[in-house]
Amino acid sequence: MDLRCAWMLCVLCLVTTAQAFTQEGFKEVLLKQLGLPEIPKLHRRDLVDLVIPDHVKNKYMSMLKRQRVKRRALPSLAGILRGIPGNAGEVLYSDTTTRQNLIFDMEGRIPKNSEVTMAELKLFKKPLDRANLPARQSHRPVSNARVSVYWVQRQHDGTNKTSLIDSRLVPIRESGWKNFDVTQAVHYWLRNKRREPMFLEVRIEGERVGSHASEMARAVHFTSQDPKDKALGKPELVLYTLNLEDYEGPGDCREEAVMGRSTCCRQKHYVNFRELSWAKYWIIEPAGYQAYRCSGGCLRPPSPLWHFGYGERTCAVAESSSLPMMYLVKRGNLTEIEAAEFPNMIVERCSCITDG
């Protein structure tokens, strides 16, 4: 792609982001960035038994963490949440994965007129019981287990939808607190209209493919929310919030922007991939994201400038950032998962731009 084409593509992305997020406009941006003529014809059956390869998961998490590092301002601590009494999360075992369910009561925990800037899940890894380790064999040494945290959205029909939130390698022979960034899960919970506890699922898998790595991972145990689990260090959810009365992001819209009486500002606009018919089978992660858009009016330039060909000033995107995504691609009869960063998907700053 030459420089002119790349510049035109960036302009297209910015223009689309600045305007209302119509389904068709948003879809066209993604297709152009992927170089696809149309949305791949995918069905629910394409997702059955589909496993996210480790290298794709690692690439996605690396991009996601890079994006999170740019978080604004140092927030204040809002509180530490522990499991709901009487609702102990289950621990389920299979041949390859250990799954631990966690339940946190979020209602009333986030102060009014505040924003959750960061949330950490703290899990205490129990000391290793060497009796649980498999006998030494002529395998490559396995030092770590893959621990992934998922947000669980319970559907009305009784099924669950999950979204990958964080994933990292944890040393098998080390004990102590392990922290996971679950900010995205809290944001998902806040977007959910039903006010219910927040459900998380912790999955412990082998650090690589193979039965030996899976057997080694089964030796990893975290304390649970079960009152019968007498080990110290119950799972904790730590919330960090920002008081919007003391600090408000530069250029973000206040309430008057909704009524159309605001000067140029950045307005919240959430894109829910799970509710877009063309995206729900195509885009694996994230479930959705805060895209923002530019809203409001701009003052007319001084009259002398009109003589030099300057036109109306409009509120448009001045700065944007990328969005990491995992999505499906079809190559013949094969369905594969890829991860990439899509530029200009999140509006960071709006400004008045003069036509001409």
Side-chain angles (χ1 to χ4, degrees):
M1 181 184 292
D2 61 27
L3 186 61
R4 183 172 177 273
C5 288
W7 178 83
M8 289 179 67
L9 180 57
C10 288
V11 169
L12 171 68
C13 297
L14 287 171
V15 168
T16 307
T17 309
Q19 297 169 349
F21 273 75
T22 62
Q23 285 201 32
E24 285 304 313
F26 191 67
K27 181 166 63 175
E28 288 303 313
V29 168
L30 291 182
L31 288 174
K32 282 183 178 293
Q33 292 196 48
L34 286 171
L36 297 175
E38 60 182 9
I39 299 293
K41 291 180 170 57
L42 297 163
H43 305 280
R44 185 187 292 271
R45 63 176 176 271
D46 292 314
L47 301 176
V48 176
D49 298 329
L50 194 66
V51 177
I52 301 175
D54 282 344
H55 73 279
V56 175
K57 185 186 292 185
N58 291 342
K59 181 180 178 182
Y60 175 73
M61 293 312 307
S62 175
M63 292 186 293
L64 203 59
K65 287 173 181 176
R66 240 186 354 255
Q67 182 197 54
R68 289 171 180 170
V69 165
K70 301 172 184 177
R71 207 169 282 128
R72 69 183 187 188
L74 288 173
S76 59
L77 182 64
I80 299 176
L81 281 61
R82 294 182 174 87
I84 302 174
N87 285 281
E90 300 173 289
V91 179
L92 307 172
Y93 295 92
S94 69
D95 290 341
T96 58
T97 309
T98 300
R99 300 192 181 201
Q100 182 171 340
N101 296 323
L102 301 174
I103 310 170
F104 294 97
D105 182 11
M106 303 286 288
E107 196 65 36
R109 304 287 184 168
I110 301 170
K112 289 183 178 180
N113 198 30
S114 65
E115 177 184 324
V116 176
T117 57
M118 187 167 67
E120 280 186 319
L121 175 65
K122 297 169 67 72
L123 299 176
F124 187 82
K125 184 179 176 299
K126 297 179 180 181
L128 180 67
D129 182 356
R130 297 188 180 277
N132 289 332
L133 289 177
R136 284 194 176 186
Q137 300 176 15
S138 57
H139 292 281
R140 269 195 301 156
V142 174
S143 303
N144 304 296
R146 164 73 55 188
V147 180
S148 303
V149 180
Y150 290 78
W151 173 65
V152 181
Q153 183 181 17
R154 298 198 169 183
Q155 305 295 298
H156 292 292
D157 61 3
T159 60
N160 292 335
K161 283 187 177 179
T162 60
S163 293
L164 177 63
I165 301 300
D166 200 1
S167 181
R168 53 175 289 200
L169 292 175
V170 171
I172 292 174
R173 289 174 172 81
E174 290 181 11
S175 62
W177 289 102
K178 308 297 176 185
N179 296 350
F180 298 85
D181 186 339
V182 293
T183 311
Q184 194 176 12
V186 176
H187 288 169
Y188 286 158
W189 179 86
L190 287 168
R191 291 293 310 174
N192 198 5
K193 301 300 182 186
R194 291 172 290 161
R195 281 296 175 258
E196 60 184 9
M198 188 171 77
F199 301 95
L200 298 176
E201 183 177 84
V202 178
R203 300 181 188 176
I204 306 170
E205 305 165 283
E207 68 172 318
R208 60 173 183 264
V209 177
S211 59
H212 182 59
S214 295
E215 288 175 15
M216 290 291 290
R218 285 173 65 91
V220 173
H221 299 279
F222 294 104
T223 53
S224 71
Q225 294 175 330
D226 192 338
K228 297 176 183 176
D229 188 345
K230 300 301 182 183
L232 296 176
K234 297 295 185 187
E236 296 179 351
L237 181 65
V238 184
L239 299 179
Y240 297 84
T241 60
L242 206 60
N243 187 337
L244 295 181
E245 292 180 355
D246 298 334
Y247 177 90
E248 184 157 357
D252 282 358
C253 296
R254 297 181 182 271
E255 287 187 10
E256 60 266 23
V258 180
M259 307 303 294
R261 298 192 298 270
S262 170
T263 55
C264 183
C265 59
R266 188 180 73 155
Q267 185 177 345
K268 286 185 177 180
H269 184 86
Y270 191 82
V271 176
N272 190 336
F273 291 131
R274 300 286 192 256
E275 292 180 358
L276 296 178
S277 58
W278 55 268
K280 62 182 178 181
Y281 299 135
W282 183 29
I283 298 173
I284 304 298
E285 301 290 351
Y289 78 107
Q290 190 65 256
Y292 298 99
R293 61 184 172 194
C294 294
S295 176
C298 297
L299 294 175
R300 185 183 175 113
S303 55
L305 291 178
W306 290 91
H307 299 295
F308 295 96
Y310 283 86
E312 292 283 350
R313 296 175 79 225
T314 55
C315 185
V317 179
E319 186 180 335
S320 63
S321 60
S322 59
L323 175 71
M325 292 170 59
M326 274 199 293
Y327 53 92
L328 292 178
V329 291
K330 266 214 159 180
R331 295 186 174 91
N333 294 325
L334 289 178
T335 303
E336 298 177 351
I337 300 176
E338 291 187 355
E341 278 188 304
F342 289 79
N344 306 316
M345 299 299 285
I346 303 170
V347 176
E348 294 293 347
R349 187 168 61 88
C350 300
S351 181
C352 289
I353 296 175
T354 303
D355 182 19

